[in-house]
Amino acid sequence: MIPVHEAWHAILAHARPTGTVRLPLGNALGRVLRTAARADADSPPFDAAAMDGYALRRTDAGRALRVIGAAEAGSAFTGILGAGECVRILTGAPVPAGADCVVKQEDVVRTGDSVQVLRHDGPDFIRRSGENRRRGDIVVPAGTRLGPPELAALAAAGIGEPEVARAPRCAHLVTGNELVPPDRTPTGAQIRDSNSTLIAALLTRLGNELVGQTRVRDDLAAAQAAVAALPAHDVLLISGGASVGDLDIARPLLEALGYTLHFHALNLRPGKPLVFASRGAQLAFVLPGNPVSHWVVFQLFIAPLLDYLQTGAGAAPARLTGRLAEGRVPPPDTRQTFWPCRAVITQGGYDLTPLPLASSGDSAGLVGANALLPVPPPPGSFATGQFVEFIPCP
Ligand code: AMP
Ligand code: MG
């Protein structure tokens, strides 16, 4: 059995970030930028009015001024403003040559073509060319995950097809003689396959591509044929059959497929029989079939790995601090324990409630799970109300 951090080292030692693709902005939400985006012009590109009002020379402000034209956003006043003159100007319009300030329209009285300034001791209400950013400045650094503000910054910089990381392609093989699809009623020793739905949803939520998903019986030849029929993939997830029982075909399957096994037992609860293997840049995991183990090892290893394949950085799951609320506090164990919890935001931060799981086969017991609580090994223990570190989970 190896500790969790050693498992991480083994995974990262074999993980190679995916290639790069160009995507239109409309399809790039949630993707990771591979090439830093730079401003292609100063911002603003010209001195612009910050208010609706009149552009003029501040030294002229005491006298009646003649309105000689207008400037609006998208349409400049092209003349040069002289002494005793002003130009009607709207927010965002270029400030005409010759003017050195904009006076708000509330601070003038206009009569026909004449303007009298009432107050001119305020700011100049000019957004200076380049005050936000200079041409060539980085607006979105490489490695950034693109959310709405980042996409808007790319649009403003004229980058309509950013270079982003290709989403990792995942394939999922589900094994088990006992499994029937969710729309069938199990008979005898059968149970419904809930892990297919769980894995598909977890992958989709994180923006990964599930290129294929197949359910097979615990039969080595059938499983080998099923994997061969899956579309090209970066990561192969196999559900169930991780141990060494008669029906546990996953390890022989990986070996038959030419994968090299790196570990097959973790000092982890739940999730001890997690298997990790690689074949060139392709990575494979066997996830212990229990639904709770599935969720936990996905959050601890697979989600951070899929993130790493795009960002090439920051692989370990993030941690937050919260208050342990009422609920059964999971007992310490010699295995490194990560307990599914529900974190809710309260006035003072997060409240964390450990879920009352009946067993690691308790699929419905996971309902509401959005966090993992690392439980300290004995003699450590937790008390209700204590502040604890937890791992937020998608
Ligand atoms: P295994 O890892 O194959 O030994 O399976 C461990 C436990 O998880 C067994 O009780 C299985 O019936 C259950 N299990 C395996 N695969 C699934 C699945 N796809 N959906 C729900 N339960 C499963
Ligand atoms: Mg099985």
Side-chain angles (χ1 to χ4, degrees), residues 288-358:
N290 277 313
V292 177
S293 310
H294 249 64
W295 192 76
V296 171
V297 300
F298 191 97
Q299 301 295 348
L300 280 183
F301 298 106
I302 294 162
L305 166 71
L306 292 171
D307 189 62
Y308 177 84
L309 292 179
Q310 295 193 61
T311 62
R319 305 235 172 166
L320 295 174
T321 300
R323 200 181 134 276
L324 206 54
E326 295 292 333
R328 197 175 80 98
V329 177
D333 192 274
T334 48
R335 273 193 277 158
Q336 287 179 274
T337 301
F338 293 84
W339 198 269
C341 293
R342 170 109 191 125
V344 294
I345 295 173
T346 61
Q347 278 176 336
Y350 289 99
D351 266 11
L352 197 68
T353 306
L355 296 180
L357 298 164

Side-chain angles (χ1 to χ4, degrees), residues 269-281:
R269 182 182 72 142
K272 180 177 149 212
L274 179 71
V275 177
F276 172 61
S278 68
R279 181 175 75 176

Side-chain angles (χ1 to χ4, degrees), residues 174-265:
V174 185
T175 68
N177 290 343
E178 74 278 35
L179 302 175
V180 298
D183 59 358
R184 281 235 329 254
T185 305
T187 55
Q190 295 176 328
I191 61 165
R192 288 200 181 93
D193 166 18
S194 61
N195 287 338
S196 294
T197 304
L198 181 68
I199 292 292
L202 284 165
L203 290 172
T204 304
R205 169 162 285 184
L206 296 176
N208 296 284
E209 227 183 299
L210 179 59
V211 295
Q213 189 174 47
T214 314
R215 188 182 315 107
V216 291
R217 294 179 60 78
D218 294 309
D219 177 281
L220 186 56
Q224 212 173 329
V227 174
L230 287 166
H233 46 272
D234 304 297
V235 179
L236 174 64
L237 302 177
I238 300 175
S239 285
S243 305
V244 287
D246 292 345
L247 293 180
D248 288 325
I249 57 161
R251 280 154 70 179
L253 169 64
L254 286 173
E255 277 163 353
L257 291 168
Y259 278 85
T260 305
L261 264 56
H262 301 297
F263 60 75
H264 61 264

Side-chain angles (χ1 to χ4, degrees), residues 19-106:
T20 296
V21 292
R22 278 187 183 280
L23 283 185
L25 286 180
N27 295 344
L29 180 64
R31 306 301 285 267
V32 173
L33 191 67
R34 278 278 165 78
T35 312
R38 292 178 182 274
D40 67 338
D42 289 353
S43 163
F46 43 76
D47 288 356
M51 289 283 175
D52 292 343
Y54 292 85
L56 48 97
R57 300 175 177 196
R58 199 184 283 273
T59 51
D60 271 356
R63 52 172 162 151
L65 301 175
R66 194 162 59 84
V67 181
I68 59 164
E72 296 164 4
S75 125
F77 174 81
T78 48
I80 298 175
L81 187 139
E85 295 176 339
C86 68
V87 164
R88 169 74 174 141
I89 195 161
L90 299 182
T91 304
V95 175
D100 61 13
C101 72
V102 171
V103 175
K104 287 189 287 181
Q105 65 190 32
E106 297 91 308

